Structures are given as structure tokens and as C-alpha cells.
Amino acid sequence: LVEALKAHKDAFLFISPVDPKVHNIPDYFDIIKRPMDLTTIITNLDQHKYTHYLQVMEHLCLVWDNAKLYNPKENMVHIKALQMETAMLDLIIRKEYLPKLTAASKAEGAGGVAESEEGWKPAIRSPKGFPVANIKPYTPTFEGQMLADIHKRMITVRSELDRAPAGPSGKAAQGGS
């Protein structure tokens, strides 16, 4: 999934860590407290730093969420983050990554349902730290709930893209490949 996203035509903005000096954005780390990029995710995967696939999902979402938080809605980086997030969600749904992820979860004996004091919360929607200690065992309903949450996020992202300002061609920005 991460390699497929890295190969996406709009990924160039998200491959490397943001360098505030190079991009002349000195306030970046004042606003973005948990920077993340695709190369860091791949490095973490290679070094086995993730103990659960939802940690990878959270970090992928963090890449897009950071770009949307720092850049105004009319900024190209904000729009490209929406497109990349759409591409990620499309890959999960169309390429059947979700069944593969949940199958891996079953094999590991962990399920990806993170719980907090407020109740059940899917980790991929959490901008905060991943609550590894609170992962419940896989349940048959988890896959359906995860898919429902992915669809909700997709609707939200596509709605934001529909409201995105028109680009130089006069057309509104469209979702990724």
C-alpha cells in the first residue's frame, strides 16, 4: 500500500520530510507537532517499528492531515493531500487491502479496534498517538466497521475535493488515480 502511494503521480510532495528552511516556512513545527512522510513510513516498516497495521494507517493519515492542517484549503499542497488520501482509500477498497490487513490481524491475534475512555474509535481517524495497549482481539464485525469508517472518510475527503478551488485549467481539483 505504501509503495503504491509512493508511486502515485502526486506523491512527490509527501515522499520526504518537510524541511522548513528549504521551503521557507519557519512556523512549520509550531503548527505540526507530529511530522510524517512516506519515506519515514517505509523506513519504519523496514525496521519493524510498527507492531500493528493500523499504526501504518494512522501514519499515512497523519501525512495527509498534516498537509491539510498547515496549508490553506485553496493551496495546491492541501488539494494534493486530499487527492492522495482519496487514492489511499481507493487502493484500500478497490485493491482489497482491507481483507488482507484484517487477515493479517486474525493471524496475529490482534484486531485493530482501539478503545478509549469515550468508547470505540478507529485508529486511522485518530490524529493522536496510537493506543497499542488497547487493541482488542479481531472480531468478525471489525472488518465491516473498518470498511464503514473508510467509506465515511472517503465521503468526507471527496466532499472537500468538490469544494476545492478551481485550478489553472478552470476545473476543480479531482481525486487521485
Side-chain angles (χ1 to χ4, degrees):
L1 176 63
V2 180
E3 288 293 343
L5 290 170
K6 191 175 177 184
H8 188 278
K9 66 181 176 67
D10 295 324
F12 68 96
L13 292 165
F14 311 101
I15 289 178
S16 301
V18 172
D19 185 337
K21 289 181 183 177
V22 169
H23 299 293
N24 194 26
I25 48 174
D27 64 343
Y28 184 77
F29 292 120
D30 294 336
I31 296 168
I32 303 301
K33 302 301 181 191
R34 294 180 59 218
M36 187 53 57
D37 61 276
L38 296 175
T39 299
T40 299
I41 294 170
I42 291 170
T43 300
N44 288 346
L45 281 165
D46 290 344
Q47 295 175 356
H48 306 286
K49 290 187 177 181
Y50 297 117
T51 58
H52 198 275
Y53 71 86
L54 284 180
Q55 291 170 303
V56 178
M57 296 296 294
E58 180 197 13
H59 277 176
L60 285 169
C61 290
L62 185 60
V63 173
W64 326 134
D65 291 346
N66 284 347
K68 293 184 296 185
L69 176 63
Y70 187 80
N71 298 283
K73 288 183 180 193
E74 64 277 357
N75 183 285
M76 186 239 347
V77 176
H78 185 107
I79 294 168
K80 295 295 184 188
L82 289 170
Q83 292 170 340
M84 288 297 297
E85 186 171 16
T86 299
M88 177 191 74
L89 295 168
D90 279 341
L91 281 169
I92 291 168
I93 294 166
R94 292 192 182 139
K95 298 288 186 176
E96 300 180 359
Y97 281 102
L98 183 64
K100 291 176 188 174
L101 293 174
T102 54
S105 176
K106 286 179 196 177
E108 294 168 7
V113 179
E115 214 168 287
S116 70
E117 290 178 14
E118 300 122 33
W120 184 85
K121 289 189 177 185
I124 64 166
R125 299 176 78 201
S126 170
K128 307 266 190 257
F130 184 78
V132 177
N134 296 330
I135 294 174
K136 288 184 170 184
Y138 176 87
T139 62
T141 59
F142 168 71
E143 186 172 326
Q145 184 62 52
M146 180 79 159
L147 192 55
D149 288 336
I150 288 169
H151 279 286
K152 285 179 196 171
R153 189 163 181 133
M154 178 70 85
I155 290 166
T156 301
V157 171
R158 287 200 171 145
S159 174
E160 286 182 59
L161 273 172
D162 288 345
R163 292 190 308 269
S169 66
K171 294 182 178 179
Q174 296 298 311
S177 62

